[in-house]
Amino acid sequence: MDLTTYDTIQNFIGGSFHPPRSGNYIDNINPATGEIMGKIPDSNGRDIDEAVAAAKRAFPEWSVTSAEKRFYILNRIAELIEEQLEALALAETHDNGKPLWLSKRVDIPRASANFRFFATGIMHFAAESHIMEDKAVNYTLRQPIGIVGCISPWNLPLYLFTWKIAPALAAGNCVIAKPSEVTPVTAYLLSLICKEAGLPDGVLNIVHGTGTVTGEAIVKHPDIKAVSFTGSTRAGERIASLAAPKFKKLSLELGGKNPNIIFSDCDWEKMMKTTIQSSFSNQGEICLCGSRILIEESIYEKFKKEFVERTKELIVGDPLDENSKQGAIVSKVHYEKILRCIDTAKQEGGKVLCGGNAVKGKGRCANGYFIGPTIIEGLGPNCQTNQEEIFGPVVTLQSFRTEEEALQLANVTSYGLAATIWTQDISKANRVAAKVESGIIWVNCWLLRDLRTPFGGMKNSGVGREGGWEALRFFTEAKNVCVQL
Ligand code: NAD
């Protein structure tokens, strides 16, 4: 298994590697250098048809394979990911632009953890029974759905890809998966790992290509009964419009515009250190990053001064350099979008306190896509900058006087993914947590993840929850059997 060569990657269908039916490929760019690092299949509906045919052949056996055997294979995949950490982390960094230390510490270990978590989870997964006194016993079967689609974004490539695939496979489904065309490499390397781990042919099929062609072919395919999607709200809306008339099961994990609510009684040092991370980790390209920082008025100036000073210390540069805290923005298109958003913020009257510009990379990174961590103040809650997701290293500061005002500001957007609350008053924390319209709330911490907890957003941030039993329930069909006594 060679995980160091990925200049021309192929689709993984029926357990073997195939070029796209169209014969066309898309350039894959390393965002830290701006250079072409390889080619990826530009697949279409015919590739998806072949993948579905392979999945159909595999499903009868996989769906009745014992939980113990499924555990064994999925756990082996987890072990191989762990063993191949260095190669996978390097590939992720070349493809995405994130610092290598981050790929090594977070992305790849979490991809392995996802497989291990659902491998062991399926051994404990059970369904309910309901007894009607002396009349009847109901028991619920949780059967695999059949063939399911998994579509993932570019920000945490292998991490989010495996977060969907692992529960889908553990539950006994066959999967047609598509990673983002912007960061396809580790998904391709995962196909090599799955083969090595002994996953039967056709159980997992990984097809590469664009969202509008390959992705929509997955969503529209009549034999794909459920779709789990993570990505932008705009694409989620389109997918929902295609899937709803076909009554497909849908899980949508979408965008966010997350508030960070900071009260004056917080643990200052912990809050400051974590707020730097929740603002700029992974170049701000995490759906859970807090992009609207709401600060109690009495500490606003103190917060601003220290936050700006500490942000200016973050080194932006070559993701292979251990000292770089910020790597490259994932693509030229996204880099230009973020710079446009910063211009919009200025036009709206925002004052840029730090960053706000492209940063010129050094040496091999001279043509890379780098943006300095950016802090903006002076904007109202309803302007575009405070309403629309930027998904980059850009945060705004707003102040509030009362708890009610903090809640109003927090809830004013159409999104509802995550929120962070900083206070040492536990009653206040609980009160505010109950009223913030977000699916995920962190109190005095950020990104502390227990994989058993429900994960997902409210409002325009999504439909459904991933994680733990939620994911295994999503990837199974509940069938009630009522037996009269
Ligand atoms: P995107 O919506 O452009 O693409 C995501 C995936 O969907 C890609 O694989 C893409 O090819 C595919 N796709 C795009 N249009 C499609 C269509 N019409 N039909 C089928 N598939 C389609 O998102 P992105 O730019 O890759 O990722 C960034 C977005 O993802 C941000 O909005 C971010 O908030 C969101 N995100 C959400 C979560 C979460 O858990 N809620 C996690 C990470 C990222």
Side-chain angles (χ1 to χ4, degrees):
M1 184 173 54
D2 172 16
L3 301 191
T4 58
T5 310
Y6 31 81
D7 38 2
T8 301
I9 68 177
Q10 304 291 12
N11 291 329
F12 180 56
I13 297 176
S16 49
F17 292 90
H18 300 264
R21 280 305 198 116
S22 67
N24 298 331
Y25 287 83
I26 306 166
D27 286 342
N28 187 20
I29 312 281
N30 177 336
T33 62
E35 284 164 9
I36 297 173
M37 61 183 263
K39 296 196 177 301
I40 75 157
D42 188 2
S43 310
N44 60 31
R46 286 190 292 157
D47 303 280
I48 298 299
D49 286 343
E50 281 176 17
V52 170
K56 271 187 175 170
R57 288 193 295 275
F59 182 70
E61 201 172 328
W62 183 247
S63 57
V64 297
T65 296
S66 69
E68 200 173 348
K69 179 130 193 246
R70 275 182 260 151
F71 155 79
Y72 182 81
I73 296 170
L74 298 183
N75 195 48
R76 183 70 196 127
I77 296 173
E79 286 171 352
L80 288 171
I81 293 175
E82 221 163 55
E83 284 168 24
Q84 298 294 337
L85 181 132
E86 295 287 331
L88 289 166
L90 191 61
E92 201 71 295
T93 286
H94 283 325
D95 211 8
N96 172 279
K98 67 179 69 203
L100 182 57
W101 59 261
L102 189 64
S103 299
K104 280 190 197 170
R105 266 186 236 159
V106 177
D107 290 72
I108 308 308
R110 174 61 194 275
S112 168
N114 289 340
F115 267 103
R116 182 161 292 117
F117 178 79
F118 287 108
T120 53
I122 202 62
M123 301 275 279
H124 302 268
F125 188 45
E128 306 88 11
S129 72
H130 299 89
I131 299 171
M132 299 166 72
E133 289 84 35
D134 54 355
K135 290 197 201 80
V137 173
N138 294 273
Y139 62 91
T140 307
L141 293 172
R142 283 265 163 200
Q143 296 175 316
I145 295 172
I147 304 172
V148 301
C150 295
I151 302 177
S152 62
W154 48 253
N155 64 321
L156 301 163
L158 191 63
Y159 173 138
L160 289 175
F161 197 57
T162 52
W163 183 232
K164 298 183 177 304
I165 289 171
L169 296 175
N173 300 287
C174 290
V175 176
I176 314 297
K178 190 193 91 62
S180 168
E181 63 275 31
V182 182
T183 53
V185 170
T186 46
Y188 164 71
L189 300 179
L190 179 70
S191 34
L192 299 171
I193 286 175
C194 288
K195 194 132 184 80
E196 176 94 5
L199 189 70
D201 294 349
V203 169
L204 172 63
N205 304 277
I206 300 178
V207 184
H208 298 271
T210 63
T212 45
V213 178
T214 323
E216 290 200 12
I218 293 175
V219 177
K220 287 180 191 160
H221 200 289
D223 295 330
I224 296 180
K225 301 296 181 197
V227 176
S228 175
F229 169 80
T230 298
S232 61
T233 296
R234 201 174 37 144
E237 192 179 338
R238 169 81 182 144
I239 288 169
S241 75
L242 294 172
K246 311 260 188 242
F247 309 111
K248 295 190 183 203
K249 223 173 166 184
L250 266 189
S251 170
L252 301 173
E253 300 294 338
L254 310 176
K257 191 75 187 172
N258 308 315
N260 237 12
I261 308 173
I262 303 174
F263 289 99
S264 58
D265 64 349
C266 63
D267 174 336
W268 184 264
E269 181 50 33
K270 190 173 168 213
M271 175 280 295
M272 187 54 73
K273 191 163 170 255
T274 312
T275 302
I276 299 272
Q277 289 166 357
S278 66
S279 302
F280 303 119
S281 288
N282 205 46
Q283 299 72 246
E285 297 165 335
I286 304 182
C287 55
L288 306 165
C289 277
S291 54
R292 295 180 300 134
I293 307 183
L294 313 177
I295 309 129
E296 193 163 350
E297 197 179 65
S298 58
I299 54 162
Y300 184 86
E301 289 303 325
K302 180 177 175 219
F303 174 87
K304 178 169 98 177
K305 184 166 178 291
E306 193 170 329
F307 186 58
V308 169
E309 273 167 14
R310 287 170 74 158
T311 299
K312 281 182 177 164
E313 287 166 11
L314 297 175
I315 297 171
V316 181
D318 191 338
L320 298 180
D321 183 343
E322 270 291 309
N323 296 316
S324 298
K325 287 283 180 281
Q326 303 269 292
I329 300 299
V330 72
S331 67
K332 188 161 191 276
V333 171
H334 194 54
Y335 160 87
E336 287 169 351
K337 179 207 147 170
I338 296 169
L339 292 175
R340 274 198 308 277
C341 289
I342 296 172
D343 276 346
T344 302
K346 289 181 194 158
Q347 281 157 25
E348 288 181 315
K351 182 174 169 199
V352 176
L353 302 173
C354 98
N357 294 310
V359 171
K360 179 93 181 137
K362 296 199 181 97
R364 73 174 197 113
C365 295
N367 296 319
Y369 316 129
F370 298 89
I371 295 178
T374 300
I375 305 170
I376 300 169
E377 73 165 353
L379 290 171
N382 296 312
C383 67
Q384 190 179 323
T385 306
N386 274 328
Q387 287 289 328
E388 290 180 12
E389 185 183 46
I390 298 173
F391 213 56
V394 182
V395 296
T396 63
L397 309 185
Q398 297 173 74
S399 71
F400 64 85
R401 287 205 184 113
T402 62
E403 206 175 297
E404 289 67 36
E405 200 185 337
L407 280 165
Q408 267 171 19
L409 290 173
N411 291 338
V412 76
T413 75
S414 59
Y415 293 103
L417 186 55
T420 305
I421 301 166
W422 290 96
T423 174
Q424 302 211 62
D425 176 342
I426 191 68
S427 302
K428 181 156 62 179
N430 288 327
R431 255 193 332 267
V432 175
K435 290 186 184 156
V436 173
E437 295 164 355
S438 295
I440 302 156
I441 312 266
W442 279 291
V443 176
N444 299 330
C445 59
W446 177 72
L447 213 59
L448 193 52
R449 288 280 295 122
D450 181 328
L451 303 189
R452 294 169 298 182
T453 60
F455 178 93
M458 297 162 66
K459 293 154 79 176
N460 291 359
S461 290
V463 178
R465 293 293 181 273
E466 296 187 314
W469 301 139
E470 302 272 351
L472 292 175
R473 287 197 192 103
F474 174 77
F475 284 115
T476 50
E477 199 71 79
K479 182 190 287 177
N480 191 64
V481 182
C482 177
V483 184
Q484 191 169 30
L485 294 174

